[in-house]
Amino acid sequence: MQVKINGKSEDVPSGTVLDLLNSKKIEPQMVAVEVNDKVLDRNHLATTVLNDGDQVEFLFYMGGGL
């Protein structure tokens, strides 16, 4: 299945957003996820099924500053 992740087309297995995060070794608490321009509630990561052609954005939390 083809989805666009952060603007780049990728072939990924079918499944949920949480499955995708796990396959990429991304900790769910370290990222906000947007699917088709809608930010997902963390409680919906395991129940939101990705479809062919979806657009996914990972927004990583960063610490820092002075």
Coordinates of all heavy atoms in Angstrom, one line a residue:
M1 N 0.9 -1.2 0.0 CA 0.0 0.0 0.0 C 0.9 1.2 0.0 O 1.9 1.3 0.7 CB -0.9 -0.1 1.3 CG -1.6 1.2 1.6 SD -2.7 1.0 3.0 CE -1.6 1.0 4.3
Q2 N 0.5 2.2 -0.8 CA 1.3 3.4 -0.9 C 0.7 4.5 0.0 O -0.5 4.8 -0.1 CB 1.3 4.0 -2.3 CG 2.2 3.2 -3.2 CD 3.7 3.5 -3.0 OE1 4.0 4.7 -2.9 NE2 4.5 2.6 -3.0
V3 N 1.5 5.1 0.9 CA 1.0 6.3 1.6 C 2.2 7.3 1.5 O 3.3 7.0 1.2 CB 0.7 6.0 3.1 CG1 -0.4 5.1 3.2 CG2 2.0 5.5 3.8
K4 N 1.8 8.6 1.7 CA 2.8 9.6 1.7 C 3.1 10.0 3.1 O 2.2 10.3 3.9 CB 2.2 10.9 1.0 CG 3.3 11.8 0.4 CD 2.7 12.8 -0.5 CE 3.0 12.5 -1.9 NZ 2.7 13.6 -2.8
I5 N 4.4 9.8 3.5 CA 4.8 10.1 4.9 C 5.8 11.3 4.9 O 6.8 11.3 4.2 CB 5.5 8.9 5.5 CG1 4.6 7.7 5.6 CG2 6.0 9.2 6.9 CD1 5.2 6.4 6.0
N6 N 5.4 12.4 5.5 CA 6.1 13.6 5.5 C 6.5 14.0 4.1 O 7.7 14.4 3.9 CB 7.3 13.5 6.5 CG 7.0 13.4 7.9 OD1 5.8 13.6 8.3 ND2 7.9 13.2 8.8
G7 N 5.6 13.9 3.2 CA 5.8 14.4 1.8 C 6.4 13.4 0.9 O 6.6 13.6 -0.3
K8 N 6.8 12.2 1.4 CA 7.5 11.2 0.6 C 6.7 9.9 0.5 O 6.3 9.4 1.5 CB 8.9 10.9 1.2 CG 9.7 9.9 0.5 CD 11.0 9.6 1.2 CE 11.7 8.4 0.5 NZ 12.7 7.8 1.4
S9 N 6.5 9.5 -0.8 CA 5.7 8.2 -1.0 C 6.5 7.0 -0.5 O 7.7 6.9 -0.8 CB 5.4 8.1 -2.5 OG 4.4 9.0 -2.9
E10 N 5.8 6.2 0.3 CA 6.4 5.0 0.8 C 5.4 3.8 0.6 O 4.2 4.0 0.7 CB 6.8 5.1 2.3 CG 7.9 6.1 2.5 CD 8.4 6.0 3.9 OE1 8.4 4.9 4.5 OE2 8.8 7.1 4.5
D11 N 6.0 2.6 0.4 CA 5.2 1.4 0.4 C 5.2 0.8 1.8 O 6.3 0.5 2.3 CB 5.8 0.4 -0.6 CG 4.9 -0.8 -0.9 OD1 3.7 -0.6 -0.8 OD2 5.5 -1.8 -1.2
V12 N 4.0 0.7 2.4 CA 3.9 0.2 3.8 C 2.9 -0.9 3.9 O 2.0 -1.0 3.0 CB 3.6 1.4 4.8 CG1 4.6 2.5 4.8 CG2 2.2 1.9 4.5
P13 N 3.1 -1.8 4.9 CA 2.0 -2.8 5.0 C 0.7 -2.2 5.5 O 0.7 -1.2 6.1 CB 2.6 -3.8 6.1 CG 3.8 -3.1 6.6 CD 4.1 -1.9 5.8
S14 N -0.4 -2.9 5.2 CA -1.7 -2.5 5.7 C -1.7 -2.5 7.2 O -1.0 -3.3 7.8 CB -2.8 -3.4 5.2 OG -2.8 -3.3 3.8
G15 N -2.5 -1.7 7.8 CA -2.6 -1.7 9.3 C -3.0 -0.3 9.8 O -3.5 0.5 9.1
T16 N -2.8 -0.2 11.1 CA -3.2 1.1 11.8 C -2.0 2.0 11.9 O -0.9 1.7 11.5 CB -3.6 0.8 13.2 OG1 -2.5 0.3 14.0 CG2 -4.8 -0.2 13.3
V17 N -2.3 3.2 12.3 CA -1.2 4.2 12.5 C -0.2 3.7 13.5 O 1.0 3.9 13.4 CB -1.8 5.6 13.0 CG1 -0.7 6.6 13.3 CG2 -2.7 6.2 11.9
L18 N -0.7 3.1 14.6 CA 0.2 2.5 15.6 C 1.1 1.4 15.0 O 2.3 1.4 15.3 CB -0.6 1.9 16.8 CG 0.2 1.5 18.0 CD1 1.1 2.6 18.5 CD2 -0.7 0.9 19.1
D19 N 0.6 0.6 14.1 CA 1.4 -0.4 13.4 C 2.5 0.3 12.6 O 3.7 -0.2 12.6 CB 0.5 -1.2 12.5 CG -0.5 -2.1 13.2 OD1 -0.3 -2.5 14.3 OD2 -1.5 -2.4 12.5
L20 N 2.2 1.4 12.0 CA 3.2 2.1 11.2 C 4.2 2.7 12.1 O 5.4 2.6 11.8 CB 2.5 3.2 10.4 CG 3.4 4.1 9.6 CD1 4.2 3.3 8.5 CD2 2.6 5.2 8.9
L21 N 3.8 3.3 13.2 CA 4.8 3.8 14.2 C 5.7 2.7 14.7 O 7.0 2.9 14.7 CB 4.1 4.5 15.4 CG 3.4 5.8 15.1 CD1 2.5 6.2 16.3 CD2 4.3 6.9 14.7
N22 N 5.2 1.6 15.0 CA 6.0 0.5 15.5 C 6.9 0.0 14.5 O 8.1 -0.3 14.8 CB 5.1 -0.7 16.0 CG 4.4 -0.3 17.3 OD1 4.8 0.5 18.1 ND2 3.2 -1.0 17.5
S23 N 6.5 -0.1 13.2 CA 7.4 -0.6 12.1 C 8.5 0.4 11.9 O 9.6 0.0 11.5 CB 6.6 -0.8 10.9 OG 6.3 0.4 10.2
K24 N 8.3 1.7 12.2 CA 9.4 2.6 12.0 C 10.2 2.9 13.3 O 11.0 3.8 13.4 CB 8.8 3.9 11.5 CG 8.3 3.8 10.1 CD 8.0 5.1 9.4 CE 7.9 5.0 8.0 NZ 9.2 4.7 7.3
K25 N 9.8 2.1 14.4 CA 10.5 2.3 15.7 C 10.3 3.7 16.3 O 11.3 4.2 16.8 CB 11.9 1.8 15.6 CG 12.0 0.3 15.2 CD 13.4 -0.2 15.3 CE 13.6 -1.6 15.0 NZ 12.5 -2.4 14.5
I26 N 9.1 4.2 16.1 CA 8.8 5.6 16.7 C 8.0 5.4 17.9 O 6.9 4.7 17.8 CB 8.1 6.4 15.6 CG1 9.0 6.6 14.4 CG2 7.7 7.8 16.2 CD1 8.3 7.3 13.2
E27 N 8.4 5.9 19.0 CA 7.6 5.9 20.2 C 6.4 6.8 20.1 O 6.5 8.0 19.8 CB 8.4 6.3 21.4 CG 9.6 5.4 21.8 CD 9.1 4.1 22.3 OE1 8.1 4.1 23.0 OE2 9.8 3.1 22.1
P28 N 5.2 6.3 20.3 CA 4.0 7.1 20.1 C 3.9 8.4 21.0 O 3.4 9.4 20.6 CB 2.8 6.1 20.5 CG 3.4 4.8 20.3 CD 4.9 4.9 20.6
Q29 N 4.5 8.3 22.2 CA 4.5 9.5 23.1 C 5.4 10.6 22.6 O 5.4 11.7 23.1 CB 4.7 9.1 24.5 CG 6.1 8.5 24.8 CD 6.2 7.0 24.6 OE1 5.4 6.4 24.0 NE2 7.3 6.4 25.1
M30 N 6.3 10.3 21.6 CA 7.3 11.3 21.2 C 6.9 12.0 19.9 O 7.7 12.8 19.4 CB 8.6 10.6 21.0 CG 9.2 10.0 22.2 SD 9.4 11.1 23.6 CE 10.7 12.2 22.9
V31 N 5.7 11.7 19.4 CA 5.3 12.3 18.1 C 3.8 12.6 18.1 O 3.0 11.9 18.8 CB 5.6 11.3 17.0 CG1 4.8 10.0 17.1 CG2 5.5 11.9 15.6
A32 N 3.4 13.6 17.4 CA 2.0 13.9 17.1 C 1.8 13.4 15.6 O 2.8 13.5 14.8 CB 1.7 15.3 17.2
V33 N 0.7 12.8 15.3 CA 0.5 12.2 14.0 C -0.7 12.9 13.4 O -1.8 13.1 14.0 CB 0.2 10.7 14.1 CG1 0.0 10.1 12.7 CG2 1.4 10.0 14.8
E34 N -0.6 13.3 12.1 CA -1.6 13.9 11.3 C -1.9 13.0 10.1 O -0.9 12.5 9.5 CB -1.1 15.3 10.9 CG -2.1 16.1 10.2 CD -1.5 17.5 9.9 OE1 -1.4 18.3 10.7 OE2 -1.1 17.7 8.7
V35 N -3.1 12.6 9.9 CA -3.5 11.8 8.8 C -4.5 12.6 7.9 O -5.6 13.0 8.5 CB -4.1 10.5 9.2 CG1 -4.6 9.7 8.0 CG2 -3.1 9.7 10.0
N36 N -4.2 12.9 6.7 CA -5.0 13.6 5.8 C -5.4 15.0 6.4 O -6.6 15.3 6.4 CB -6.2 12.8 5.4 CG -5.8 11.6 4.6 OD1 -4.8 11.5 3.9 ND2 -6.6 10.5 4.8
D37 N -4.5 15.7 6.9 CA -4.6 17.0 7.5 C -5.4 17.1 8.8 O -5.9 18.1 9.2 CB -5.2 18.0 6.5 CG -4.4 18.2 5.2 OD1 -3.1 18.2 5.4 OD2 -4.9 18.2 4.1
K38 N -5.6 15.9 9.5 CA -6.3 15.9 10.7 C -5.4 15.3 11.8 O -4.9 14.2 11.7 CB -7.6 15.1 10.6 CG -8.4 15.1 11.9 CD -9.7 14.3 11.7 CE -10.5 14.3 13.0 NZ -11.6 13.5 13.0
V39 N -5.2 16.1 12.9 CA -4.3 15.6 14.0 C -5.1 14.5 14.7 O -6.3 14.7 15.1 CB -3.9 16.7 14.9 CG1 -3.1 16.2 16.1 CG2 -3.1 17.8 14.2
L40 N -4.5 13.4 15.0 CA -5.1 12.3 15.7 C -4.9 12.4 17.2 O -3.8 12.7 17.6 CB -4.5 10.9 15.2 CG -4.8 10.5 13.8 CD1 -4.2 9.1 13.6 CD2 -6.3 10.4 13.5
D41 N -6.0 12.1 17.9 CA -5.8 11.9 19.3 C -5.0 10.6 19.6 O -5.2 9.6 18.9 CB -7.2 11.8 20.0 CG -7.2 11.8 21.5 OD1 -6.8 10.7 22.0 OD2 -7.6 12.7 22.1
R42 N -4.1 10.7 20.6 CA -3.3 9.5 20.9 C -4.1 8.2 21.1 O -3.7 7.1 20.8 CB -2.5 9.8 22.1 CG -1.0 9.5 21.9 CD -0.2 10.0 23.1 NE 0.3 11.3 23.0 CZ 1.1 11.8 22.1 NH1 1.6 11.0 21.2 NH2 1.5 13.1 22.2
N43 N -5.3 8.4 21.6 CA -6.2 7.2 21.9 C -6.7 6.6 20.6 O -7.2 5.4 20.7 CB -7.4 7.7 22.7 CG -7.0 8.2 24.1 OD1 -6.0 7.7 24.7 ND2 -7.8 9.1 24.6
H44 N -6.5 7.2 19.5 CA -7.0 6.7 18.2 C -5.9 6.1 17.3 O -6.2 5.6 16.2 CB -7.8 7.7 17.4 CG -9.0 8.2 18.2 ND1 -9.4 9.5 18.2 CD2 -9.9 7.5 18.9 CE1 -10.5 9.6 18.9 NE2 -10.8 8.4 19.4
L45 N -4.7 6.1 17.8 CA -3.6 5.6 17.0 C -3.8 4.1 16.6 O -3.5 3.7 15.5 CB -2.2 5.8 17.7 CG -1.8 7.2 17.9 CD1 -0.5 7.3 18.7 CD2 -1.7 8.0 16.6
A46 N -4.3 3.3 17.6 CA -4.4 1.9 17.4 C -5.7 1.5 16.7 O -5.8 0.4 16.2 CB -4.4 1.2 18.8
T47 N -6.6 2.5 16.5 CA -7.8 2.2 15.8 C -8.0 2.8 14.5 O -9.0 2.6 13.8 CB -9.0 2.5 16.7 OG1 -9.0 3.9 17.1 CG2 -9.1 1.7 18.0
T48 N -7.1 3.7 14.1 CA -7.2 4.4 12.9 C -6.4 3.6 11.8 O -5.2 3.5 11.9 CB -6.6 5.8 13.0 OG1 -7.3 6.6 14.0 CG2 -6.6 6.6 11.6
V49 N -7.2 3.1 10.9 CA -6.6 2.2 9.8 C -6.2 3.1 8.7 O -6.9 4.0 8.2 CB -7.7 1.2 9.3 CG1 -7.1 0.4 8.2 CG2 -8.1 0.3 10.5
L50 N -5.0 2.9 8.2 CA -4.5 3.6 7.0 C -5.0 3.0 5.7 O -5.2 1.8 5.6 CB -2.9 3.6 7.0 CG -2.3 4.4 8.2 CD1 -0.8 4.1 8.2 CD2 -2.6 5.9 8.0
N51 N -5.3 3.9 4.8 CA -5.7 3.5 3.5 C -4.7 3.9 2.4 O -4.0 4.9 2.6 CB -7.1 4.1 3.2 CG -8.1 3.7 4.2 OD1 -8.5 2.5 4.3 ND2 -8.7 4.6 4.9
D52 N -4.8 3.2 1.3 CA -3.9 3.5 0.2 C -4.1 5.0 -0.2 O -5.2 5.4 -0.4 CB -4.2 2.6 -1.0 CG -3.2 2.6 -2.1 OD1 -2.0 2.5 -1.7 OD2 -3.5 2.8 -3.3
G53 N -3.0 5.7 -0.4 CA -3.1 7.1 -0.8 C -3.2 8.1 0.4 O -3.2 9.3 0.1
D54 N -3.3 7.6 1.6 CA -3.3 8.6 2.8 C -2.1 9.4 2.9 O -1.0 8.9 2.4 CB -3.6 7.8 4.1 CG -5.0 7.4 4.3 OD1 -5.9 7.9 3.6 OD2 -5.2 6.6 5.3
Q55 N -2.2 10.6 3.4 CA -1.1 11.4 3.7 C -0.9 11.5 5.2 O -1.8 11.8 6.0 CB -1.3 12.8 3.2 CG -1.4 12.8 1.6 CD -1.5 14.2 1.1 OE1 -0.8 15.1 1.6 NE2 -2.3 14.4 0.1
V56 N 0.3 11.1 5.6 CA 0.7 11.0 7.1 C 1.8 12.0 7.4 O 2.8 12.0 6.6 CB 1.1 9.6 7.5 CG1 1.4 9.5 8.9 CG2 0.0 8.6 7.1
E57 N 1.7 12.7 8.4 CA 2.7 13.6 8.9 C 3.1 13.2 10.3 O 2.2 13.1 11.1 CB 2.3 15.1 8.8 CG 2.0 15.6 7.4 CD 3.2 15.8 6.6 OE1 4.3 16.1 7.2 OE2 3.2 15.7 5.4
F58 N 4.4 13.1 10.6 CA 4.9 12.9 11.9 C 5.5 14.2 12.4 O 6.3 14.7 11.8 CB 6.0 11.8 12.0 CG 5.5 10.4 11.6 CD1 6.3 9.6 10.8 CD2 4.3 9.9 12.0 CE1 5.9 8.3 10.5 CE2 3.8 8.7 11.6 CZ 4.6 7.8 10.9
L59 N 5.0 14.7 13.5 CA 5.5 15.9 14.1 C 6.2 15.6 15.4 O 5.5 15.2 16.4 CB 4.3 16.9 14.3 CG 3.4 17.1 13.1 CD1 2.1 17.8 13.5 CD2 4.2 17.9 12.1
F60 N 7.5 15.6 15.4 CA 8.3 15.2 16.6 C 8.4 16.3 17.6 O 8.6 17.4 17.2 CB 9.7 14.7 16.1 CG 9.6 13.4 15.3 CD1 9.5 13.5 13.9 CD2 9.6 12.2 15.9 CE1 9.5 12.3 13.2 CE2 9.5 11.0 15.2 CZ 9.5 11.1 13.8
Y61 N 8.3 15.9 18.8 CA 8.5 16.8 19.9 C 10.0 17.0 20.2 O 10.7 16.0 20.2 CB 7.9 16.4 21.2 CG 6.4 16.3 21.1 CD1 5.7 15.1 21.1 CD2 5.6 17.4 21.0 CE1 4.3 15.0 20.9 CE2 4.2 17.4 20.9 CZ 3.6 16.1 20.8 OH 2.2 16.1 20.7
M62 N 10.5 18.2 20.3 CA 11.9 18.4 20.5 C 12.1 19.3 21.8 O 11.3 20.3 22.0 CB 12.5 19.2 19.3 CG 12.4 18.5 18.0 SD 14.0 17.8 17.7 CE 13.7 17.0 16.1
G63 N 13.1 19.0 22.5 CA 13.4 19.8 23.7 C 14.6 20.7 23.3 O 15.2 20.5 22.3
G64 N 14.8 21.7 24.1 CA 15.9 22.5 23.8 C 15.7 23.9 24.2 O 14.8 24.2 25.0
G65 N 16.5 24.8 23.8 CA 16.4 26.2 24.2 C 17.6 26.6 25.0 O 18.6 25.8 25.2
L66 N 17.5 27.7 25.6 CA 18.6 28.3 26.4 C 18.4 28.0 27.8 O 17.5 27.9 28.4 CB 18.8 29.8 26.1 CG 19.2 30.1 24.6 CD1 19.2 31.6 24.4 CD2 20.5 29.5 24.3

